[in-house]
Amino acid sequence: MNKATNSQSPVMLRLEREALLALCRRVLTHHGFSAEQAETLGVTLVAAQLDASHSHGLYRLLGIIDTVRQGGAVPDAEPEVEDVAPGVVRVDAGGGFSPCAFERGMPRLVEKARSNGIALMAINRCVHATALWVELERLTAEGLVAIACNPTQAYVAPYGGKEPLLGTNPVAFGWPRPGAEPFIFDFATSAIARGDIELHRREGKAIPEDWGIDRHGEACNDPAEVLEHGAMSPFGEHKGSALALMVELIAGPLIGDLLSIESSEHDAGRQGLPYHGELIIALDPVRISGAGSAAHMARAERLFEAVLGQGARLPSQRRYRERAASLAQGAELPAALVEEIEALLD
């Protein structure tokens, strides 16, 4: 554990991957998580921390444990996998966290995608607190193209509205690249992830006014007002709002699960993490385009090279760079946060 200090910044620590995992395991098992639930959730949180995604890293342990303490999640849930149709697999998470349900269902999803060319996995009755890109990297490593999305709770006002109705509703896409890191994006359909606004509140910082509105529907830079009385804003005005509605529908009623507003009703004021469903779609290039698949996939590299050739960057490039640095030097996180997390062991 190395300290990285700055006279004008909080004291920061650097922890290696195994130390981060060990901390996650200790905290989660201390609060009743089964070994499988603790491992799958810990691996996902650590992956985000290594990529310097602070809003989805170990900070999330605070909300996870609070949700469990309030009865909003089942820490030792046993996900059940159901073979629904040739191209459909369903996983009942049983009120547990999504990473374990994904792990249980992934082998069947991959098998079905390779058999049919496309397959869908519906995860039902799960609590979600982590990044989607971690799951998509697992699928791109299998040579599959993948899409994932999920509702959350009613945090976001639709464009032109004033009341929270939609979730932050992330959408993620993964494309395998032989010999290179996969092309992956993972972003909320809100102007920013809710966790980023929470971090601004913790640090006493104002937020950009286009991130949310106050209780009167006016642009607001106070994170507490946005989180407690106002609403978050969609990105891209009506475009982000429409994408959020799409996610509500295809990862809610289509798979027999909750809308974000229904998830908020289920929460019943506990302010716990979202309880809902998740939709994952996997496509097999080999099955779809046949013997010429490798050549067709290689043509995509022309597009990526052209983007980079203009001086632009590809999504995930920053994360991959941060990951390499974290694996070499340890991941950085505030000492105060580590103390809060260790206090969960009391």
Side-chain angles (χ1 to χ4, degrees):
M1 182 185 295
N2 300 315
K3 290 189 177 182
T5 61
N6 185 306
S7 59
Q8 297 180 346
S9 303
V11 175
M12 304 296 288
L13 303 177
R14 286 194 179 274
L15 296 174
E16 295 183 350
R17 181 179 185 275
E18 287 307 315
L20 294 169
L21 273 174
L23 179 58
C24 288
R25 292 188 192 107
R26 289 201 307 273
V27 169
L28 294 170
T29 54
H30 181 75
H31 288 274
F33 281 74
S34 64
E36 184 182 12
Q37 287 280 351
E39 186 68 17
T40 52
L41 184 52
V43 165
T44 304
L45 296 175
V46 170
Q49 194 67 52
L50 292 172
D51 284 9
S53 178
H54 300 288
S55 62
H56 287 75
L58 268 68
Y59 158 71
R60 291 282 173 139
L61 281 170
L62 304 178
I64 288 167
I65 300 308
D66 184 61
T67 299
V68 168
R69 282 172 167 168
Q70 296 188 62
V74 181
D76 58 351
E78 288 285 343
E80 297 181 359
V81 180
E82 178 186 0
D83 194 328
V84 178
V88 182
V89 58
R90 183 187 307 280
V91 185
D92 182 351
F97 287 84
S98 56
C100 188
F102 176 85
E103 193 70 26
R104 290 273 184 102
M106 180 184 156
R108 196 74 58 85
L109 175 66
V110 171
E111 174 190 339
K112 288 177 178 292
R114 287 182 174 152
S115 176
N116 299 298
I118 182 170
L120 177 156
M121 180 161 72
I123 299 178
N124 293 119
R125 299 203 302 147
C126 70
V127 179
H128 206 281
T130 54
L132 293 173
W133 84 73
V134 181
E135 297 173 353
L136 295 200
E137 285 192 15
R138 296 285 306 283
L139 294 172
T140 56
E142 297 286 340
L144 301 175
V145 175
I147 301 168
C149 61
N150 62 264
T152 57
Q153 287 186 19
Y155 301 138
V156 180
Y159 179 64
K162 297 182 179 180
E163 301 292 333
L165 175 66
L166 307 172
T168 55
N169 297 9
V171 177
F173 173 80
W175 178 274
R177 298 178 65 195
E181 299 285 4
F183 170 82
I184 290 183
F185 66 72
D186 176 2
F187 57 78
T189 52
S190 52
I192 193 72
R194 187 171 179 85
D196 284 295
I197 299 181
E198 292 171 345
L199 287 177
H200 276 69
R201 176 168 62 175
R202 284 170 58 86
E203 296 167 7
K205 296 179 179 178
I207 60 172
E209 289 192 346
D210 60 352
W211 284 10
I213 56 177
D214 64 17
R215 69 192 76 190
H216 307 296
E218 302 295 330
C220 180
N221 63 9
D222 180 355
E225 173 68 18
V226 170
L227 292 173
E228 296 174 13
H229 305 293
M232 298 172 65
S233 299
F235 86 89
E237 300 179 339
H238 62 284
K239 296 178 182 179
S241 192
L243 283 173
L245 284 164
M246 178 194 75
V247 173
E248 292 282 344
L249 299 172
I250 65 173
L254 178 66
I255 65 170
D257 223 299
L258 302 182
L259 299 166
S260 292
I261 193 169
E262 293 172 327
S263 180
S264 290
E265 292 167 350
H266 173 84
D267 182 69
R270 289 188 296 254
Q271 297 187 325
L273 293 168
Y275 172 86
H276 50 64
E278 179 184 347
L279 173 68
I280 303 107
I281 300 171
L283 303 98
D284 181 14
V286 174
R287 189 67 168 170
I288 293 170
S289 56
S293 171
H296 292 309
M297 296 296 284
R299 288 192 297 110
E301 294 304 307
R302 178 183 177 185
L303 180 60
F304 299 140
E305 290 166 6
V307 170
L308 297 171
Q310 295 187 22
R313 71 175 178 89
L314 297 174
S316 296
Q317 275 189 290
R318 180 204 63 81
R319 290 196 301 100
Y320 296 144
R321 185 174 61 250
E322 294 285 357
R323 183 184 305 177
S326 294
L327 290 174
Q329 307 166 16
E332 190 175 69
L333 62 168
L337 174 61
V338 175
E339 291 179 4
E340 282 188 83
I341 293 171
E342 290 177 337
L344 296 173
L345 295 167
D346 296 340

